Amino acid sequence: MNFFSKAGLVAAIIVQAGVAHAATEWNNNTVYAEPGQIVSYQGQLYTNGWWTKGENPASSGPWGVWRTVSGQVAATSAPTAAPSSKPTTIPTLTASPKPTASAAPTSTPISTAGSTANAWNPATTYAEKGNVVSYQGELYRNEWWTRGDVPSASGAFGVWRKISAATATPTATAKPVATPAPTAAPTAAPTATAKPTATPVITVKPSPTPVVTAAPTATPTLAPTATPKPSATPAPVGSLIPPRSLTLEQPGDIGTLRAAQLRSFNHSPFQSTGYWVQPGDVLLVNYSYTGSTPNKQPEIWLHNIDDDTWNYDTAQKVKLNVGSNSIVSNVKAAVYVAAFNTPTNGELKVELASGGRVMPRFVLGQHTQDDWLKMLSQNGDAPYAELVSTRMMLTASLAKAMRHVDDPVALMTLWDEIVRLEDEQYGIKPGNTYPHNPTPHRFHFVELAPYDGWMYAWQYRMASASDDAAIGSVLNSKKLKTDGWGPWHELGHQYQMSTFTWKDQTEVTVNLSSAYVQRGLGQPSRYETQGTWTKTFAYLNQATRDFATQSDLFVRATMFWQLDLAFGKDFYAKVGTSYRNMSAAQRPTTDAAETQAFVIEASRAAGYDLTPFFTQWGIAVTTDTQTKLRGMGLKTLTDPIWLNRDSKVLYQPR
């Protein structure tokens, strides 16, 4: 079972029925934790697509959590789950259902069958997986970083797992730490993070250290001789058959740079081989190295793209010993190599001496479109097809790759440009000093056949449903360029900075990346074409405004975007650089602190005291923040930059 929420789980839930539906009246203070609950509001039925609280159904909009339901309002009764169906338009939002914190339990630890556990405390940070706590007489164990998530309300995909006394770890106790882990984006089943003001709650956050499961399913064994066996001459560049001899890339530890850049998810550890296996297939893998001994052994990962677990838990992972390693496959899977070692002064060489079946594998710079078509034709029995560029790897079922990939050269060139743009937005460029440099690991977008949502971002990957409209926007170069908000959005979750993603902003600040890419590719602004600016100015013209209660995610996103429009496309590069340069002790860790810190850092990047801007948007600037701003020697903002929009940038006070 998958115990983790994913950023980006979006299911447009639509009920088509001509009968009366029993529904409770929507309540602003009620938590609707499970998707498919039906409520009535002003005579209309609605059903939620993910966790929600306080979002008005009538103003949810085409991309919001609530969808209208056909039928009549019947007598009030418990809500019933509605069947899900694919959206008729491409939903690109992601969200994460997570319950908010409730009152703290009693503080008395309990002991059951030799397992002592401290009482759960909403103010305690449980940073490492496996902490055992007691709550209302039950024992729970956390699956990842958490603070403030109520154990009993965690649900099937939540952070807490109820455990029996027999399974409790005897020595596991809650371990508070001073510095919280980076905020996760998942964007959906999910990641809309709910954090109360009084007791900050940062939900769905992975461990601050990389989690790499390396225990092999099939134990590698040394052949009688330690000398790697010779094989056929490696295929030349441009060959339709992938080479069997690989000099591994050494990108380094997968989590170090990610953590320093305040990102939420590790990028892909995979280096593509272009081979796949069936259960029972035998791989003979030779491994050797030159120079100093690597501090970690490279690994073979046999990975089925249907794996929907946090760390690809169903993959068969085998550490390679020097010499010959015999691996019997337990799964139908693609064959990857993963190197986690600190880069050495020598080379790591891996050879698939025998075993493995060829799958279509296009490499940008090595293959042409004609090569791709020949690969598809010659390897029609393969379950997958793969496309690889400098920054991106795409893996899909053979059928979807054949249907949607129009021009592999254009597609992978475009993906590299999209990654470059999202790097650029946050001040990440080649040649920059650490940690302002691009990740050497690739991003990985996979088709997840069993997934019935739309798209999500998570550990090691971004994933798309097999629905043609969803996976098509990932694999087709024309759709990706002109209608790729969804894929750009999910990549944006890989960049999203936790330091200015306070309560309920996970699905807001991520759209900075989509808007930046859309402009960078010369496409018209979604905020213009879909009428968001009209809603924005209607909100700004209200007599009183409260940003925290504005339910339209895209209206909220335009506040962040107006800062780019006013102060230039390098505005968030300055902000991102400033946050990355902060020490851990300086970084904000509560919603209130994150909000005020953003006011300060945005003002620093702009060179202006932005108090009038944030006040106009309904964000209160505290007295302490105002004092700090006065001490920074900033210019006074006199231009109403909140009147800017994509099609008419009236004010650029620089």
Side-chain angles (χ1 to χ4, degrees):
M1 175 179 285
N2 175 11
F3 288 148
F4 300 90
S5 295
K6 295 178 282 296
L9 178 59
V10 177
I13 301 178
I14 305 169
V15 175
Q16 299 295 336
V19 298
H21 289 271
T24 55
E25 183 71 15
W26 173 77
N27 188 307
N28 183 61
N29 295 316
T30 297
V31 172
Y32 300 94
E34 300 299 327
Q37 294 179 256
I38 298 177
V39 300
S40 63
Y41 183 70
Q42 296 180 342
Q44 173 64 53
L45 291 176
Y46 297 87
T47 184
N48 62 315
W50 55 86
W51 185 101
T52 181
K53 178 185 176 184
E55 296 183 74
N56 191 309
S59 59
S60 193
W63 310 101
V65 62
W66 293 105
R67 295 287 183 274
T68 58
V69 177
S70 63
Q72 302 171 340
V73 179
T76 300
S77 66
T80 57
S84 63
S85 62
K86 298 296 186 298
T88 56
T89 58
I90 303 177
T92 55
L93 284 184
T94 53
S96 38
K98 286 295 165 193
T100 55
S102 61
T106 59
S107 58
T108 306
I110 66 171
S111 179
T112 307
S115 176
T116 302
N118 288 340
W120 172 79
N121 188 320
T124 296
T125 296
Y126 303 93
E128 302 296 331
K129 174 181 178 180
N131 291 290
V132 176
V133 301
S134 65
Y135 182 70
Q136 295 181 342
E138 299 286 348
L139 292 177
Y140 295 83
R141 183 178 58 236
N142 67 311
E143 297 294 330
W144 62 87
W145 187 104
T146 181
R147 185 173 72 196
D149 288 295
V150 181
S152 64
S154 203
F157 298 99
V159 63
W160 293 105
R161 301 266 69 74
K162 185 185 291 187
I163 59 175
S164 65
T167 61
T169 305
T171 59
T173 56
K175 298 184 290 184
V177 296
T179 305
T183 306
T187 160
T191 19
T193 326
K195 300 184 283 184
T197 303
T199 304
V201 183
I202 306 174
T203 61
V204 196
K205 297 193 179 182
S207 168
T209 55
V211 184
V212 180
T213 305
T217 304
T219 305
T221 56
L222 288 177
T225 174
T227 305
K229 297 182 179 180
S231 64
T233 303
V237 172
S239 170
L240 303 186
I241 300 176
R244 286 185 169 271
S245 295
L246 308 172
T247 299
L248 300 185
E249 299 167 0
Q250 298 185 60
D253 180 84
I254 198 169
T256 303
L257 181 60
R258 183 269 305 157
Q261 291 183 344
L262 310 179
R263 305 184 187 212
S264 298
F265 308 118
N266 287 336
H267 308 313
S268 177
F270 291 160
Q271 297 182 40
S272 172
T273 69
Y275 290 87
W276 67 284
V277 289
Q278 289 275 29
D281 285 358
V282 179
L283 279 175
L284 189 63
V285 182
N286 298 326
Y287 163 52
S288 62
Y289 64 85
T290 62
S292 57
T293 303
N295 65 329
K296 294 181 181 179
Q297 300 159 261
E299 302 175 16
I300 293 291
W301 286 38
L302 305 182
H303 166 65
N304 186 307
I305 65 172
D306 292 351
D307 188 339
D308 194 25
T309 58
W310 171 250
N311 274 322
Y312 287 151
D313 300 326
T314 68
Q316 186 175 345
K317 306 166 188 178
V318 180
K319 292 182 179 180
L320 295 176
N321 296 312
V322 171
S324 184
N325 300 261
S326 180
I327 303 170
V328 179
S329 172
N330 296 331
V331 291
K332 180 179 77 174
V335 180
Y336 296 100
V337 186
F340 300 102
N341 63 287
T342 301
T344 69
N345 58 359
E347 294 182 334
L348 279 61
K349 294 184 178 291
V350 169
E351 179 188 37
L352 303 180
S354 64
R357 308 159 188 248
V358 177
M359 68 181 190
R361 173 177 171 268
F362 173 90
V363 180
L364 184 64
Q366 295 184 20
H367 298 118
T368 65
Q369 184 170 11
D370 286 344
D371 292 336
W372 171 250
L373 295 175
K374 290 175 183 176
M375 293 176 191
L376 295 174
S377 175
Q378 294 175 12
N379 300 288
D381 62 337
Y384 317 128
E386 200 153 76
L387 301 99
V388 183
S389 65
T390 304
R391 307 298 308 280
M392 179 63 70
M393 183 162 63
L394 309 178
T395 310
S397 63
L398 183 66
K400 296 299 182 182
M402 293 177 69
R403 175 175 297 182
H404 293 294
V405 177
D406 55 338
D407 181 340
V409 176
L411 175 66
M412 300 313 292
T413 300
L414 178 58
W415 265 117
D416 276 0
E417 174 62 8
I418 291 168
V419 174
R420 188 198 69 78
L421 285 168
E422 297 205 17
D423 271 348
E424 176 184 79
Q425 180 176 38
Y426 286 107
I428 298 171
K429 293 184 179 180
N432 281 3
T433 57
Y434 180 92
H436 313 294
N437 54 298
T439 175
H441 293 88
R442 286 181 180 83
F443 295 93
H444 192 190
F445 222 125
V446 301
E447 175 195 350
L448 185 62
Y451 181 52
D452 60 1
W454 200 252
M455 294 178 184
Y456 69 75
W458 215 20
Q459 180 86 316
Y460 297 154
R461 79 283 202 177
M462 297 151 288
S464 167
S466 294
D467 186 289
D468 286 321
I471 192 63
S473 64
V474 176
L475 298 177
N476 184 279
S477 65
K478 296 182 181 63
K479 290 181 180 178
L480 178 63
K481 182 175 182 179
T482 62
D483 194 21
W485 188 278
W488 310 334
H489 175 107
E490 300 310 335
L491 180 62
H493 278 300
Q494 301 284 347
Y495 284 89
Q496 194 168 28
M497 301 186 77
S498 61
T499 42
F500 63 87
T501 303
W502 61 89
K503 180 182 179 181
D504 296 334
Q505 305 311 310
T506 300
E507 288 309 313
V508 175
T509 61
V510 65
N511 290 308
L512 283 167
S513 294
S514 300
Y516 193 92
V517 170
Q518 190 168 55
R519 181 179 61 191
L521 297 181
Q523 301 302 307
S525 167
R526 174 201 185 113
Y527 302 139
E528 294 286 358
T529 61
Q530 298 197 8
T532 302
W533 286 117
T534 300
K535 297 177 183 178
T536 293
F537 295 132
Y539 165 74
L540 292 172
N541 286 331
Q542 293 176 179
T544 58
R545 298 161 300 282
D546 184 353
F547 187 81
T549 62
Q550 169 54 245
S551 62
D552 192 313
L553 302 177
F554 288 105
V555 168
R556 278 188 266 157
T558 58
M559 182 198 76
F560 292 94
W561 189 237
Q562 280 184 329
L563 293 171
D564 173 291
L565 296 178
F567 299 107
K569 71 176 187 178
D570 63 344
F571 175 80
Y572 283 102
K574 296 175 184 177
V575 172
T577 300
S578 180
Y579 276 113
R580 289 191 296 272
N581 284 336
M582 287 182 186
S583 67
Q586 292 175 309
R587 294 177 197 143
T589 59
T590 68
D591 288 322
E594 287 178 3
T595 305
Q596 298 304 311
F598 183 70
V599 173
I600 293 170
E601 295 309 319
S603 296
R604 190 194 310 278
Y608 286 83
D609 181 343
L610 296 179
T611 297
F613 173 77
F614 289 107
T615 301
Q616 184 68 27
W617 268 96
I619 293 178
V621 179
T622 66
T623 301
D624 181 60
T625 296
Q626 291 175 18
T627 300
K628 291 178 180 178
L629 291 172
R630 284 194 295 271
M632 292 167 64
L634 300 169
K635 290 176 281 188
T636 301
L637 182 68
T638 57
D639 291 332
I641 61 173
W642 50 87
L643 298 181
N644 285 341
R645 61 188 294 169
D646 291 274
S647 62
K648 186 180 267 188
V649 179
L650 298 171
Y651 303 100
Q652 292 183 303
R654 302 179 205 171

